[in-house]
């Protein structure tokens, strides 16, 4: 049975993951908020800090992502307006020399639609959580979306505006929605 605090916060649409927060106490919720606020501020800076562009280099964003909770390797470059699933940042692994171009989205959760049927309310569906791994030297093209559970292989390239729903083999180029292999390197 979930805690009264969890049920109250879920009703206010503040939290929804019962596995992660189901037994949260009132003081635990307050502590969680304070721990999360600074991560949100770092994310906001990384996402939309055009005013401070001389100070917001692609390598600095990678350092901040590490502080938010992502596992980030060396020489990682992250462009403007890249959204990470900051509530699940610890589920994102980015190996060395990865390039994530502008306006990409990395999601570690999605609604579980397998039992969804006519008459159901999609809001009540549970979430599926799965990690994302970007292997050494891969590149994610502008505006792409990486879905939960995806591994992009070493040296692989994801074309612009692609939606990656499955693992990308090493040394391939994928593109499209959903992304498909268009060339093997």
């Amino acid at each position: 049975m979930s805690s009264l605090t969890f049920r109250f916060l879920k009703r206010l649409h503040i939290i929804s993951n019962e596995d992660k927060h189901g037994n949260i106490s009132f003081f635990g919720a307050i502590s969680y908020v304070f721990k999360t606020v600074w991560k949100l501020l770092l994310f906001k800076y990384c996402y939309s800090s055009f005013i401070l562009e001389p100070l917001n280099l692609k390598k600095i964003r990678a350092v901040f992502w590490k502080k938010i909770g992502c596992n980030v390797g060396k020489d990682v470059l992250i462009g403007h307006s890249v959204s990470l699933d900051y509530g699940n940042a610890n589920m994102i692994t980015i190996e060395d020399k990865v390039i994530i171009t502008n306006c990409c989205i990395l999601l570690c959760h999605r609604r579980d639609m397998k039992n969804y049927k006519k008459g159901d309310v999609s809001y009540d569906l549970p979430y599926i959580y799965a990690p994302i791994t970007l292997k050494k030297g891969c590149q994610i093209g502008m505006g792409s979306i990486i879905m939960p559970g995806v591994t992009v292989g070493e040296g692989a390239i994801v074309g612009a505006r692609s939606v990656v729903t499955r693992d990308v083999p090493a040394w391939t180029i994928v593109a499209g929605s959903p992304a498909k292999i268009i060339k093997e390197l």
Side-chain angles (χ1 to χ4, degrees), residues 1-17:
M1 180 84 183
S2 54
S3 71
L4 180 63
T5 303
F6 171 79
R7 292 192 309 261
F8 176 72
L9 294 175
K10 182 176 182 180
R11 191 166 193 93
L12 294 176
H13 307 285
I14 295 173
I15 58 177
S16 61
N17 184 350

Side-chain angles (χ1 to χ4, degrees), residues 1-181:
M1 180 84 183
S2 54
S3 71
L4 180 63
T5 303
F6 171 79
R7 292 192 309 261
F8 176 72
L9 294 175
K10 182 176 182 180
R11 191 166 193 93
L12 294 176
H13 307 285
I14 295 173
I15 58 177
S16 61
N17 184 350
E18 191 167 1
D19 291 337
K20 191 173 185 180
H21 303 292
N23 294 322
I24 197 165
S25 67
F26 175 77
F27 293 110
I30 299 297
S31 174
Y32 177 77
V33 167
F34 282 115
K35 289 177 185 176
T36 305
V37 165
W38 73 271
K39 291 180 182 181
L40 183 58
L41 292 173
L42 283 177
F43 170 73
K44 187 67 174 162
Y45 172 79
C46 292
Y47 184 78
S48 61
S49 60
F50 299 106
I51 296 169
L52 301 174
E53 179 49 33
L55 303 175
N56 195 10
L57 302 173
K58 292 174 181 169
K59 286 189 178 188
I60 291 175
R61 289 188 198 110
V63 171
F64 285 171
W65 277 37
K66 197 179 281 191
K67 292 193 179 295
I68 290 169
C70 296
N71 304 306
V72 180
K74 296 178 183 174
D75 299 321
V76 170
L77 302 177
I78 300 171
H80 280 296
S81 304
V82 176
S83 293
L84 73 142
D85 195 343
Y86 70 84
N88 299 298
N90 62 325
M91 298 177 78
I92 299 172
T93 300
I94 304 170
E95 294 184 356
D96 299 342
K97 298 186 183 287
V98 169
I99 299 171
I100 305 171
T101 57
N102 300 346
C103 303
C104 292
I105 301 172
L106 281 68
L107 293 173
C108 294
H109 75 287
R110 66 175 179 83
R111 295 275 184 188
D112 185 358
M113 304 298 284
K114 69 181 173 209
N115 294 320
Y116 186 58
K117 60 189 176 309
K118 186 176 179 180
D120 286 349
V121 178
S122 62
Y123 176 83
D124 293 331
L125 293 173
Y127 285 101
I128 293 173
Y129 294 87
I132 291 173
T133 303
L134 305 179
K135 295 288 193 175
K136 181 179 178 182
C138 72
Q139 180 173 331
I140 310 301
M142 184 177 277
S144 293
I145 301 172
I146 309 298
M147 295 299 288
V150 167
T151 296
V152 178
E154 182 177 348
I157 297 173
V158 175
R161 296 274 182 207
S162 296
V163 178
V164 184
T165 59
R166 294 189 178 123
D167 289 351
V168 176
W171 304 105
T172 59
I173 298 174
V174 299
S177 178
K180 295 180 181 161
I181 297 173

